[in-house]
Amino acid sequence: MTSSSAPLARFLHRLRLRSVLTSEEQEAVSNLVGETRSFRPSEDIVSPGERVEHACLVARGLAGRFDQMLDGERQVTSFYISGDMCDLHSVVAPRASWSITALGPVTAVMIPHRQLRELCVRYPSVAVAFWRDGTVDASIFAKWVGNLGRKDAKARIAHIFCEMGVRSEAAGLGSKTSFELPLTQDRLSDAAGLTTVHVNRTLQQMKREALLQFKNRHVDIPDWQALALIAEFDPAYLLLEGPPHRVFPKHYSVQTSTLH
């Protein structure tokens, strides 16, 4: 096991956006340790059908969750940036029915389920924070389903960039109008449910209209309001309005022996 203080600090920041944690609870999250691994572009971090014993924390790069069809076609159902725990729910559902794939060079920290279970038992408020974090993932999935089913190509693409801008800003990785997104048009087409040709044509139109600008891996949104209007973007589904009251009182913890 290796220490992973920087990625865990980002993960803790993500939790604290939506949950109130005491200093003791924050320290307990920060003290998690895991094995750091590097992945090549298009390499699976988790493969379909794999039974995992760890959750994957993105330390660097961009990862995506994929559902794969029998003919080999893939649909991206979510993106994960630095500080995101891709599959926190695998603690209670360890067999994957999807894949998590590196969309470029990715560094991830594998946090053992055993540690996460022990943390949840000892600190119930951390368990609630994990639960709320998983709710965000489910909310993003639901929003993407609605986008794929009811919006045109321009609105789908606009929504993806609006979402990633807001998430990058919340994570401290940029601002909602200027952020890194190492995403190819092929992967964007997988996320938007469109052909690469259609995505390319739509992006060219959006660049001509000064809605999006790209330089290397960097995205700039010159007119946020215009892009958000096209996307019908409402960030409420990201649950960033501030943490609610604690379910458990402060300093509530359970002293227990190590679980097996």
Side-chain angles (χ1 to χ4, degrees):
M1 295 293 181
T2 58
S3 178
S4 47
S5 57
L8 282 166
R10 291 198 182 280
F11 176 56
L12 178 59
H13 172 73
R14 173 182 164 112
L15 293 179
R16 293 183 65 207
L17 289 171
R18 302 173 176 93
S19 300
V20 177
L21 298 173
T22 67
S23 57
E24 181 181 352
E25 290 161 347
Q26 292 177 47
E27 183 178 3
V29 173
S30 298
N31 286 338
L32 290 167
V33 292
E35 180 185 358
T36 300
R37 299 182 189 172
S38 297
F39 297 88
R40 301 182 304 276
S42 300
E43 183 178 359
D44 279 352
I45 300 171
V46 175
S47 301
E50 181 181 357
R51 186 177 182 86
V52 296
E53 297 180 352
H54 53 257
C56 305
L57 170 61
V58 177
R60 185 180 297 108
L62 181 70
R65 184 188 303 278
F66 285 83
D67 188 21
Q68 185 161 323
M69 311 301 142
L70 291 176
D71 62 1
E73 292 293 319
R74 286 179 144 198
Q75 175 67 47
V76 179
T77 60
S78 190
F79 293 130
Y80 296 99
I81 58 178
S82 178
D84 288 349
M85 190 87 80
C86 302
D87 54 349
L88 191 55
H89 59 273
S90 68
V91 175
V92 294
R95 186 175 297 280
S97 57
W98 28 255
S99 68
I100 297 173
T101 303
L103 301 183
V106 167
T107 303
V109 183
M110 307 307 185
I111 308 293
H113 288 167
R114 173 184 52 78
Q115 288 188 47
L116 296 168
R117 287 194 297 267
E118 290 173 0
L119 192 61
C120 289
V121 170
R122 183 167 185 180
Y123 298 104
S125 287
V126 173
V128 172
F130 287 176
W131 188 355
R132 193 171 287 129
D133 192 78
T135 300
V136 176
D137 266 357
S139 185
I140 290 172
F141 296 158
K143 177 60 69 174
W144 281 36
V145 169
N147 288 343
L148 289 171
R150 295 299 177 186
K151 291 182 179 178
D152 63 20
K154 191 175 182 181
R156 293 183 203 180
I157 292 171
H159 199 281
I160 288 171
F161 283 104
C162 285
E163 177 185 300
M164 297 311 295
V166 169
R167 288 173 58 189
S168 294
E169 183 171 272
L173 299 173
S175 71
K176 69 180 182 180
T177 59
S178 184
F179 54 96
E180 295 289 323
L181 189 65
L183 189 64
T184 65
Q185 289 189 19
D186 284 346
R187 295 310 193 191
L188 181 57
S189 68
D190 288 339
L194 301 164
T195 66
T196 305
V197 171
H198 199 166
V199 165
N200 180 270
R201 186 183 305 122
T202 305
L203 287 176
Q204 294 303 321
Q205 177 188 352
M206 296 173 81
K207 285 193 284 187
R208 288 193 299 271
E209 295 172 354
L211 293 169
L212 292 170
Q213 295 177 352
F214 305 98
K215 186 175 182 180
N216 298 326
R217 304 187 308 166
H218 197 88
V219 178
D220 285 304
I221 301 175
D223 190 339
W224 172 265
Q225 294 299 330
L227 192 69
L229 183 63
I230 290 168
E232 300 180 27
F233 182 76
D234 180 352
Y237 72 101
L238 295 173
L239 308 185
L240 289 170
E241 65 274 10
H245 295 297
R246 287 172 61 94
V247 175
F248 297 96
K250 284 188 175 183
H251 310 303
Y252 181 93
S253 64
V254 178
Q255 299 301 319
T256 183
S257 60
T258 302
L259 297 178
H260 298 285

